[in-house]
Amino acid sequence: MVTAIVLAAGRSTRMGGGPNKQFIELLGKPLIYFSLAAFEQCPNIEAIVLVRRPDCAQQTDAVVREYGFKKVGAFADGGIERQNSVWNGLEKCDRATDIAVVHDGARPLLTPALIESTIVSVQAHGTGIAATKVVDTIKEANDDKTVIRTVDRTKLWAVQTPQTVRFSLLREAYTNVFLKQMVVTDEAAAVESLGQKVHLVETPFLNLKVTTPSDLAMAEALLRARP
């Protein structure tokens, strides 16, 4: 069984305050709609656990009802850190789950095809992490913004979501993170903490995360350009 854990519990501080960004309108629909719709349309996804802020429970329930997302079978509360939110989502997964797909609900350009690609990677390697090759020249700098060195970008990747992992491996990884009192920013880092290899899946399109108002405008333009 493949279960998606969609994270929608952020504080939206970089959006300039106001409502939770997951409910900001994008093409006339709440931002979270686009991630949920991609998972709803993906044949291999059998269930969705939606992780949201407790104070936004009524709003998320309303979105699920309004758009008829039948795969959303459970809700979980967001935690202090991202890793706490993911763990809460894992705890709500069906016991038959053997693959978990973790996705940030603020990435609305997700497609069923990308989800499938990460699942195929898990079947072959145990992990499938969406990522894009770094194309900009990268500089390491001091606090005063003077350059220390130019970093070789040929082996650098910008990691995104979905991040798909065998369920048992992901639970083991996060158990290890909490045991060692670590703070990690994604599932890949949690798996790396076990000394396990992590396999990347190249994202064939701009898979941006909406964190600022300008990101919202770009996401709208990219969605309008799709067939």
Side-chain angles (χ1 to χ4, degrees):
M1 181 176 185
V2 184
T3 300
I5 299 173
V6 179
L7 304 176
R11 288 289 168 185
S12 312
T13 53
R14 284 176 286 182
M15 288 296 289
N20 185 330
K21 70 180 173 186
Q22 300 292 347
F23 305 104
I24 293 174
E25 281 201 1
L26 181 61
L27 298 181
K29 295 181 174 67
L31 180 63
I32 188 60
Y33 162 87
F34 295 92
S35 296
L36 293 175
F39 284 112
E40 189 79 20
Q41 294 162 15
C42 183
N44 277 334
I45 296 296
E46 298 168 73
I48 301 170
V49 176
L50 182 53
V51 183
R52 78 286 191 262
R53 285 166 36 187
D55 60 326
C56 294
Q58 289 186 339
Q59 285 176 287
T60 49
D61 289 351
V63 170
V64 171
R65 287 196 307 271
E66 180 178 355
Y67 295 102
F69 292 127
K70 294 180 173 56
K71 292 182 181 180
V72 179
F75 297 90
D77 290 340
I80 297 173
E81 302 285 351
R82 183 184 186 280
Q83 63 199 45
N84 303 103
S85 294
V86 175
W87 182 262
N88 292 347
L90 289 170
E91 290 282 88
K92 293 289 185 176
C93 288
D94 189 286
R95 290 184 179 181
T97 300
D98 59 348
I99 294 176
V101 185
V102 182
H103 183 66
D104 191 328
R107 292 187 187 272
L109 301 177
L110 179 67
T111 65
L114 178 58
I115 299 167
E116 292 286 354
S117 294
T118 64
I119 293 171
V120 169
S121 177
V122 169
Q123 291 167 342
H125 308 285
T127 53
I129 311 297
T132 302
K133 288 182 178 179
V134 172
V135 295
D136 293 323
T137 297
I138 303 297
K139 305 288 186 181
E140 182 182 354
N142 288 311
D143 291 341
D144 64 358
K145 300 179 183 177
T146 57
V147 172
I148 299 172
R149 66 188 180 101
T150 300
V151 180
D152 179 9
R153 70 184 180 195
T154 59
K155 294 182 179 180
L156 296 181
W157 292 72
V159 172
Q160 306 159 349
T161 64
Q163 298 200 12
T164 305
V165 185
R166 290 206 179 278
F167 186 79
S168 58
L169 174 59
L170 191 55
R171 281 191 66 97
E172 181 186 358
Y174 273 117
T175 298
N176 181 61
V177 164
F178 293 124
L179 183 65
K180 294 182 177 178
Q181 298 184 327
M182 299 167 59
V183 175
V184 295
T185 55
D186 65 355
E187 289 60 63
V191 174
E192 289 168 49
S193 75
L194 292 174
Q196 298 279 351
K197 291 183 178 180
V198 172
H199 191 79
L200 301 179
V201 175
E202 187 165 6
T203 309
F205 55 85
L206 185 57
N207 186 23
L208 69 86
K209 181 178 180 181
V210 174
T211 56
T212 66
S214 61
D215 294 331
L216 195 67
M218 183 178 292
E220 182 168 325
L222 291 168
L223 284 169
R224 287 187 183 279
R226 283 185 173 177

